Amino acid sequence: MKRKKSKKRVKRSSNIALLLFLIVFSFVLIDQFLQMKVEEKAISFLPNPVAEDVQKYTPILQRELEEVNLEEYTFVLAAIMQQESKGKGGDPMQASESAGLPPNSIKDPEQSIKQGVKHFKRALNYGNKKNVDFPTVIQAYNMGIGYIDFVASQGGKHSEEIAKKFSLAQAEKNPQVYNCGGDKNNFRYPYCYGDFTYTTKVTKNIESLTVSNSGKIPKDLLDI
């Protein structure tokens, strides 16, 4: 009888130990699951480097670029759109002025993209003709084709200092228009024609796009 009781006690102790183990193991699993959910939630709140609207227009950008055999610059144009508008409004490429129109005259995003691609292609071709670096081409999207001539006369390589010189020269031609709205605290003042930091900003956008999409940066961009 004593042996039977001893066996029952051992069995009961084993069952209790197994039950405790299962309870502890369950708590560990639940805790890990909750931690994973918290981490996922935290990741979801991280800022997206590229606006949703820009991502939405990227296939259209690629299509338009393919038509002119420049599809390798899809990320570049997406980065420019990110800087210009984050994909918002009827003129997400802010291309109206490059078509000789007042700002935001274009109201159709697809038309804006077509014009933006046209403006970029012109800058790229002229930049290659004048033997300037690719950062100059990006800055010319913001400051106009005349910037390419200016950089070519300064050695062919873009820098923010050169962009400042060009901006100031243009602003002095029309100080009533290019005066940063009269705001002397504006970081651009007195270089109020365009944005002398444009290439720097677009380059950061390109890096974000290529990293998040595992894309390849065009050879030209290696000069940035």
Side-chain angles (χ1 to χ4, degrees):
M1 290 293 292
K2 285 183 179 180
R3 286 183 181 177
K4 285 184 179 180
K5 285 183 181 180
S6 178
K7 285 181 180 180
K8 284 181 180 179
R9 284 176 186 168
V10 170
K11 190 175 182 181
R12 189 181 302 161
S13 297
S14 298
N15 289 340
I16 291 170
L18 180 60
L19 182 61
L20 288 170
F21 172 79
L22 290 172
I23 291 170
V24 171
F25 184 70
S26 298
F27 275 119
V28 170
L29 284 178
I30 292 169
D31 182 65
Q32 287 183 345
F33 176 78
L34 290 174
Q35 290 222 355
M36 285 173 63
K37 285 296 179 185
V38 168
E39 288 173 2
E40 286 176 6
K41 192 174 182 182
I43 290 170
S44 70
F45 283 120
L46 290 174
N48 193 328
V50 183
E52 247 181 69
D53 288 318
V54 173
Q55 293 179 21
K56 177 180 72 178
Y57 287 130
T58 300
I60 303 173
L61 278 170
Q62 184 169 6
R63 184 191 71 201
E64 293 299 323
L65 286 163
E66 283 175 352
E67 289 190 8
V68 292
N69 297 315
L70 293 176
E71 60 270 22
E72 65 184 291
Y73 295 99
T74 299
F75 285 164
V76 176
L77 270 291
I80 286 173
M81 183 189 289
Q82 170 80 4
Q83 187 57 39
E84 293 289 346
S85 69
K86 292 185 171 60
K88 303 292 184 184
D91 188 8
M93 293 300 296
Q94 293 292 289
S96 296
E97 290 176 271
S98 70
L101 302 170
N104 296 308
S105 294
I106 296 174
K107 303 298 181 184
D108 176 15
E110 287 205 30
Q111 184 59 38
S112 173
I113 290 170
K114 284 179 184 291
Q115 180 58 35
V117 168
K118 183 179 178 180
H119 179 42
F120 174 77
K121 181 186 176 185
R122 184 186 173 210
L124 181 64
N125 288 344
Y126 193 61
N128 289 337
K129 180 181 176 182
K130 300 295 286 187
N131 293 315
V132 298
D133 62 359
F134 190 67
T136 299
V137 173
I138 294 178
Q139 190 70 37
Y141 189 95
N142 174 256
M143 287 186 163
I145 301 301
Y147 182 68
I148 292 173
D149 287 320
F150 187 77
V151 173
S153 71
Q154 300 286 312
K157 288 188 177 293
H158 161 80
S159 70
E160 287 190 3
E161 287 306 310
I162 289 176
K164 281 182 177 180
K165 288 180 184 178
F166 180 76
S167 175
L168 189 60
Q170 297 303 307
E172 287 175 347
K173 291 177 184 178
N174 199 343
Q176 299 304 313
V177 175
Y178 305 114
N179 61 5
C180 296
D183 180 10
K184 293 186 178 181
N185 292 319
N186 188 308
F187 81 93
R188 293 183 297 133
Y189 191 87
Y191 314 103
C192 296
Y193 179 86
D195 178 357
F196 63 85
T197 66
Y198 189 79
T199 291
T200 302
K201 291 170 180 172
V202 170
T203 301
K204 288 179 180 177
N205 293 340
I206 292 169
E207 290 169 355
S208 296
L209 272 162
T210 51
V211 168
S212 61
N213 292 278
S214 299
K216 293 181 179 179
I217 300 177
K219 291 179 182 179
D220 296 339
L221 294 180
L222 298 177
D223 293 332
I224 294 179

